[in-house]
Amino acid sequence: MTKGSNQVAPGVQETVRQLRDEIAAHNHRYYVLDAPIISDAKYDELMVRLQALEQQHPDLIVPESPTQRVGGAPLAAFDSVRHAVPMRSLGNAFDPEDIHAFDKRVADTLRAAGMLGLDQTVQYTAECKFDGLAISLRYENGLLMQAATRGDGQVGEDVTSNIRTLRSVPLKLRGDFPEVLEVRGEVLMYRSDFDKLNQAQQARGEKIFVNPRNAAAGSLRQLDPRITAKRPLRFMAYGWGQIVGAQPQTQSDALAWFEQLGLPVNAERGLFQGASQLLEFYASMDQRRRALPFDIDGVVYKVNALDAQEVLGYVARAPRFAIAHKFPAQEETTLLTGIEVQVGRTGAITPVARLKPVFVGGVTVTNATLHNEDEIRRKDVRVGDTVIVRRAGDVIPEVVGPVIELRPAETQLFVMPSACPVCGSAVQRLEGEAISRCTGGLFCAAQRKQSLLHAAGRKALDIEGLGEKLIDQLVDSERIRSLADLFTLRVEELVLYDRMGRKSAENLIEAIDKVRSPSLGNLLFALGIRQVGETTARDLAQRFGSIEALMRADEEALLAVNDVGPVVAHSILQFFAEPHNREVVQALLDAGVQPTVEAAPVGRLVLSGKTLVLTGTLPTLTRDDATRRILAAGGKVSGSVSKKTSYVVAGEEAGSKLTKAQDLGVAILDEAGLIALLKSGQ
Ligand code: IVH
């Protein structure tokens, strides 16, 4: 018996032991089984109770107590650790041929050694290739004694104090542990944790991390474990170094055993026969990788039988029995050769990075958006920098950030131009806005092109065959200065433009003729008045009945329209106060464009005076369909639920709006209910 425990009542000792086991069990449930059963608050409560008891009885404190995860003073530097068994890396494969060749090499060797029959295929495990940092954890008699980074494979850095702060790393193994176990695996950060961390870093004005891997690396390399403790790092086991006192026979058994010992092992793994099954696993993980909570950069195949692994052995630093099959990189570095600006329909000026062509995410990328001036400052990207470019899935490529270590002495900071590069008008950035805009309006060719593209779009006039290339030519040749000029085009002149055959020209003129009597709502939307979306355009059309009446409307009349507030009203007034815009409208009317207004509703409509909110996915109706039908029945559609809401129409995966409706006692309909209601008025 120790000196301390002499003075401690046996009951206390038992309570402390129970609390520790309970806390370890909750950690295990949360981090290993991914099935927590208590709230964070309850967990904290257990910790506080344990801390209090340990404070009263310091002699009971042991290193494996969960209260001892964060401790010790900041280090001056990390000590070096020589690995008992070297930490190797893996050879990389990118193509199916590489995997067939790997499988053939393995099979040939095993057959030559008499370990595989002629008609047999090799059994492999396939696992995720976690995109983090390799780590080796040394347990002696079940207790975590040391944690080391990979380093050069022979000698790494002692990061024990930091690793102890990871709640997914057990301080004590469960069950049937061996005398010595060096577990190897990856330290990583979940994407959701990474996003939260970066938000917090930004709020505190601290360093933003470019990706979860860098955040994990930066967090693990802190000399002060109290900082690491605040970073949401996790551990995932996939292998081992030294084991004394047990000998697994296969990779799959070893991982299953690690799970029994309380170590986190990812469930996305399996046993496969031969190359073709491995390639199926690869394809399925490539599909599912975005749904995983963490980044993976490929999958790893390992010969399952350990005696076969031994026969295959190593070549240089990599094993012959395992290979990493990488996904096409989603991030690459390349040179930022320039930053240019693009002018959008509303004059918004977007800086665009010009890049030395780089193959990333399966395509060659030469441009990437930089969003706005503040974003460039925040990321501190400069022309001349080597930057990280990311293209994940179908998302548009973006510049993640510079590689500061590679920054040359001479770089250029981006300066937002004071004049529009297309029309020379002043560039303005309003107080409180992130976006700078060209003030040239429709005088600016770039804005004109984008406005025409918008007007021709499906939700506006829907003119088939009027694409970007033709609009560029029509605007550049000054044949089209405004939307109205579109209606004066003739086949004979169109055929003179590049890539315009007679047939396409005729089709285009026919398409334009078809929209000479557009609905007033569509025409108003096509004008591209800022703040006026499709629905508002339709409401304005219903309310005013003609474009002339709308142009005469004052603020009060505008504010009377559904969903029109001061900002929208102001924008409409400003648009029509601009002589150029009035001229365009007049020219449209002169060119024979005759907007039509849907017949004003007759009699009492079933939904008149009612406001509906749509939420979730309806089984057959699209959002647009449902909206149209509600509007046609005299109802209004709103985006948020309040006491004034008449009905909430809820589909699958309805979220907070449905909950709010239930809270407020608002009537809830499903699609069938909505249709029945609409029919009741017919
Ligand atoms: S096994 C002897 N399995 O990839 C083989 N490594 O390029 C040792 N990695 O340094 C590695 N996931 O950091 C193995 N399921 C996995 C892995 C994995 C990620 C990392 C590890 C290693 C690097 C090799």
Side-chain angles (χ1 to χ4, degrees):
M1 236 186 222
T2 64
K3 189 166 118 281
S5 53
N6 277 335
Q7 300 146 10
V8 177
V12 173
Q13 215 163 354
E14 180 57 20
T15 311
V16 165
R17 199 187 57 76
Q18 273 174 7
L19 275 170
R20 282 179 189 152
D21 286 353
E22 211 177 320
I23 290 167
H26 287 306
N27 271 338
H28 182 249
R29 290 199 67 98
Y30 189 95
Y31 287 102
V32 180
L33 306 179
D34 197 15
I37 48 168
I38 58 163
S39 64
D40 288 357
K42 278 265 178 306
Y43 178 91
D44 293 343
E45 219 175 279
L46 294 174
M47 283 292 278
V48 169
R49 274 173 59 199
L50 178 60
Q51 263 156 357
L53 284 174
E54 286 184 349
Q55 223 162 30
Q56 286 165 22
H57 309 284
D59 294 339
L60 291 182
I61 299 175
V62 289
E64 66 270 26
S65 171
T67 59
Q68 305 303 300
R69 283 194 176 271
V70 191
L75 305 171
F78 294 114
D79 283 342
S80 295
V81 177
R82 180 163 287 278
H83 300 296
V85 175
M87 288 181 80
R88 320 230 189 205
S89 64
L90 294 165
N92 288 330
F94 296 92
D95 301 316
E97 296 79 68
D98 299 339
I99 302 308
H100 283 290
F102 161 74
D103 178 45
K104 185 170 182 313
R105 276 196 309 273
V106 169
D108 288 349
T109 310
L110 295 181
R111 285 191 186 116
M115 297 176 87
L116 186 74
L118 267 180
D119 53 347
Q120 284 179 311
T121 49
V122 181
Q123 187 180 53
Y124 298 96
T125 66
E127 305 163 12
C128 291
K129 186 171 190 303
F130 308 105
D131 199 6
L133 298 98
I135 199 91
S136 185
L137 311 180
R138 186 174 172 89
Y139 288 88
E140 291 174 10
N141 298 315
L143 297 181
L144 176 66
M145 301 307 284
Q146 192 173 59
T149 60
R150 180 170 177 279
D152 63 4
Q154 305 289 334
V155 177
E157 285 178 323
D158 185 339
V159 287
T160 314
S161 311
N162 286 345
I163 286 295
R164 285 177 60 88
T165 69
L166 273 63
R167 278 171 51 189
S168 55
V169 172
L171 296 176
K172 192 176 154 190
L173 295 177
R174 309 156 73 88
D176 200 10
F177 52 77
E179 203 179 314
V180 174
L181 172 61
E182 258 182 33
V183 177
R184 287 178 180 174
E186 203 86 345
V187 168
L188 48 83
M189 201 178 277
Y190 277 16
R191 273 194 299 274
S192 55
D193 289 333
F194 164 77
D195 290 339
K196 275 186 237 151
L197 173 65
N198 259 356
Q199 276 163 20
Q201 293 282 107
Q202 190 172 5
R204 287 192 298 260
E206 283 171 28
K207 179 189 157 97
I208 304 285
F209 297 103
V210 290
N211 56 32
R213 208 186 76 82
N214 281 26
S219 303
L220 192 63
R221 293 200 42 80
Q222 294 294 328
L223 290 168
D224 183 352
R226 282 169 304 190
I227 298 180
T228 311
K230 292 196 191 117
R231 303 283 174 79
L233 295 175
R234 298 196 181 228
F235 172 71
M236 213 60 99
Y238 54 67
W240 61 94
Q242 192 184 23
I243 305 185
V244 179
Q247 204 48 69
Q249 301 297 307
T250 62
Q251 169 75 14
S252 54
D253 284 354
L255 294 191
W257 178 46
F258 290 169
E259 272 181 323
Q260 302 290 315
L261 297 177
L263 292 159
V265 184
N266 184 234
E268 300 282 352
R269 63 185 200 268
L271 281 174
F272 301 94
Q273 297 291 138
S276 49
Q277 287 191 3
L278 295 179
L279 294 173
E280 281 169 29
F281 178 79
Y282 175 87
S284 93
M285 286 316 299
D286 194 14
Q287 287 282 314
R288 295 211 308 281
R289 59 192 292 207
R290 273 168 288 280
L292 296 178
F294 44 79
D295 285 347
I296 61 174
D297 57 346
V299 292
V300 183
Y301 312 132
K302 300 173 185 171
V303 171
N304 193 34
L306 301 188
D307 56 357
Q309 287 195 3
E310 205 168 319
V311 167
L312 287 154
Y314 295 84
V315 52
R317 284 162 56 217
R320 282 203 201 84
F321 56 81
I323 198 161
H325 190 179
K326 305 270 289 243
F327 296 132
Q330 294 191 319
E331 286 188 357
E332 280 297 346
T333 54
T334 189
L335 193 67
L336 177 67
T337 54
I339 298 178
E340 289 173 17
V341 295
Q342 270 174 2
V343 188
R345 172 170 68 86
T346 59
I349 298 199
T350 313
V352 177
R354 300 286 177 228
L355 304 164
K356 185 166 166 230
V358 61
F359 191 72
V360 53
V363 297
T364 300
V365 171
T366 47
N367 304 316
T369 177
L370 284 163
H371 304 290
N372 58 54
E373 208 177 353
D374 290 349
E375 188 79 1
I376 298 177
R377 295 274 172 276
R378 189 176 73 79
K379 291 179 173 164
D380 186 26
V381 281
R382 308 179 188 178
V383 176
D385 266 337
T386 296
V387 291
I388 299 173
V389 179
R390 180 172 176 81
R391 182 184 179 272
D394 299 329
V395 182
I396 56 165
E398 62 160 350
V399 172
V400 178
V403 183
I404 297 289
E405 301 79 54
L406 297 181
R407 174 166 284 169
E410 293 283 303
T411 53
Q412 276 161 267
L413 286 172
F414 170 73
V415 185
M416 184 56 83
S418 54
C420 170
V422 178
C423 73
S425 303
V427 167
Q428 194 178 50
R429 181 173 167 187
L430 295 179
E431 185 94 14
E433 278 200 13
I435 306 287
S436 304
R437 289 177 200 277
C438 157
T439 52
L442 291 179
F443 171 70
C444 175
Q447 292 191 49
R448 238 180 303 154
K449 287 177 184 175
Q450 294 297 326
S451 314
L452 284 167
L453 213 53
H454 164 80
R458 240 170 33 83
K459 290 181 171 177
L461 296 179
D462 195 11
I463 305 175
E464 212 172 306
L466 186 58
E468 203 171 335
K469 294 261 155 42
L470 182 60
I471 288 179
D472 278 355
Q473 295 184 60
L474 291 168
V475 171
D476 289 342
S477 65
E478 307 231 336
R479 172 60 184 86
I480 289 197
R481 287 168 214 266
S482 82
L483 186 55
D485 294 336
L486 206 61
F487 292 91
T488 62
L489 283 175
R490 287 169 301 111
V491 171
E492 278 61 38
E493 52 179 335
L494 273 180
V495 292
L496 302 176
Y497 285 93
D498 273 358
R499 275 179 281 190
M500 251 294 152
R502 178 157 285 271
K503 191 74 203 138
S504 332
E506 283 172 359
N507 287 346
L508 178 58
I509 294 299
E510 204 175 306
I512 293 173
D513 280 340
K514 261 203 257 166
V515 296
R516 278 185 200 274
S517 312
S519 82
L520 180 56
N522 286 0
L523 182 65
L524 290 179
F525 181 59
L527 289 178
I529 307 168
R530 275 175 74 187
Q531 311 286 348
V532 176
E534 286 170 84
T535 315
T536 308
R538 214 165 21 213
D539 288 346
L540 290 168
Q542 288 262 331
R543 174 77 177 72
F544 294 100
S546 75
I547 200 157
E548 293 88 344
L550 174 63
M551 285 165 77
R552 281 195 303 269
D554 60 10
E555 184 168 2
E556 199 182 345
L558 290 169
L559 288 174
V561 178
N562 194 18
D563 281 340
V564 172
V567 175
V568 181
H570 183 70
S571 172
I572 298 170
L573 289 171
Q574 207 177 24
F575 183 87
F576 288 118
E578 169 68 50
H580 178 80
N581 291 334
R582 300 178 78 96
E583 279 163 27
V584 170
V585 172
Q586 193 51 53
L588 277 167
L589 300 176
D590 291 348
V593 175
Q594 284 187 321
T596 57
V597 181
E598 294 88 62
V602 214
R604 219 188 89 75
L605 285 165
V606 64
L607 291 182
S608 72
K610 303 256 188 279
T611 304
L612 287 81
V613 173
L614 297 167
T615 175
T617 313
L618 298 176
T620 63
L621 290 178
T622 63
R623 248 324 136 100
D624 282 353
D625 289 342
T627 306
R628 223 169 294 152
R629 292 173 74 159
I630 292 167
L631 294 177
K636 292 179 186 169
V637 176
S638 162
S640 58
V641 181
S642 73
K643 271 191 285 191
K644 291 194 191 143
T645 309
S646 320
Y647 299 101
V648 165
V649 184
E652 215 167 298
E653 287 181 23
S656 58
K657 290 180 193 166
L658 177 58
T659 329
K660 187 153 183 206
Q662 285 160 342
D663 289 349
L664 295 174
V666 172
I668 296 161
L669 298 175
D670 60 5
E671 182 185 282
L674 172 68
I675 292 173
L677 188 63
L678 291 167
K679 282 213 173 120
S680 68
Q682 288 174 357

